[in-house]
Amino acid sequence: MRAIRAASAAALLSASAVIAVAPTALAAEGDQNITSFGFSVTPATVAPGGTVTLTSDGCEVPSVTVTSGVFETVTLNEGRPGTATVDFDAKAGAQYKITFDCKGERGTTTLTIGGGSTGGHTGGDTGGDTGRSTGGHDNATQPGAHKGVKAGYGTAASGADSEGLGVTEVVTGVLLIAGALGAAVVLTRRRDADGRA
């Protein structure tokens, strides 16, 4: 009888360990771009020679360094946005990695180079016209800096895959259910062994 208790306890502990480690593993396999500070590049698509606005917030040091292979290094001071001019020889249709560095912590996003005339923004923004000039790109609503954390599964209306739950979500759910059932079995056996019904 002690062997069964020990095996049940070991199974419960191993299930608890898997459940405790699963969120970390899931975060590691998903988006590698979770940071303690927010950052953005607007617009997300720009023509060669166009201007982009770089924004960062929440960094504990007064300056954030922004680097890319498609424009010169820019330093954002005290949370103020900055601008960068995309190289004229940037290849249309290419995606370039933009890196924001806040005291050694790095966050990345991509900038797509669209075809079209120099200095202008090309591509599909969905924002409305704000009626003001934004210096080389659409007069679309400028979103604030986004935080790196993406939480929740979402719905089809939010743009999530309509395929339903993925393997990661199903495995996590199964592990949670197995842990709950294991705990119920251990408590039930413990209650029976003590003579309480």
Side-chain angles (χ1 to χ4, degrees), residues 146-174:
H146 69 279
K147 296 289 184 182
V149 177
K150 295 176 175 75
Y153 180 68
T155 63
S158 70
D161 291 338
S162 61
E163 299 292 321
L165 296 175
V167 174
T168 304
E169 291 87 3
V170 172
V171 168
T172 302
V174 167

Side-chain angles (χ1 to χ4, degrees), residues 87-185:
D87 294 340
F88 287 98
D89 60 350
K91 182 180 176 187
Q95 289 189 336
Y96 290 89
K97 183 169 123 177
I98 312 296
T99 303
F100 290 78
D101 188 332
C102 169
K103 68 175 182 177
E105 180 182 11
R106 294 182 179 190
T108 60
T109 188
T110 57
L111 176 66
T112 303
I113 306 301
S117 64
T118 301
H121 164 71
T122 61
D125 266 337
T126 58
D129 187 5
T130 61
R132 61 185 167 88
S133 173
T134 56
H137 50 79
D138 265 2
N139 288 336
T141 304
Q142 299 293 323
H146 69 279
K147 296 289 184 182
V149 177
K150 295 176 175 75
Y153 180 68
T155 63
S158 70
D161 291 338
S162 61
E163 299 292 321
L165 296 175
V167 174
T168 304
E169 291 87 3
V170 172
V171 168
T172 302
V174 167
L175 289 174
L176 288 171
I177 292 169
L181 289 174
V185 167

Side-chain angles (χ1 to χ4, degrees), residues 47-113:
T51 303
V52 292
T53 302
L54 308 166
T55 309
S56 176
D57 69 350
C59 184
E60 295 177 8
V61 295
S63 65
V64 174
T65 305
V66 185
T67 56
S68 177
V70 74
F71 56 76
E72 297 293 322
T73 299
V74 175
T75 301
L76 305 177
N77 292 312
E78 298 182 5
R80 292 188 191 103
T83 59
T85 302
V86 174
D87 294 340
F88 287 98
D89 60 350
K91 182 180 176 187
Q95 289 189 336
Y96 290 89
K97 183 169 123 177
I98 312 296
T99 303
F100 290 78
D101 188 332
C102 169
K103 68 175 182 177
E105 180 182 11
R106 294 182 179 190
T108 60
T109 188
T110 57
L111 176 66
T112 303
I113 306 301

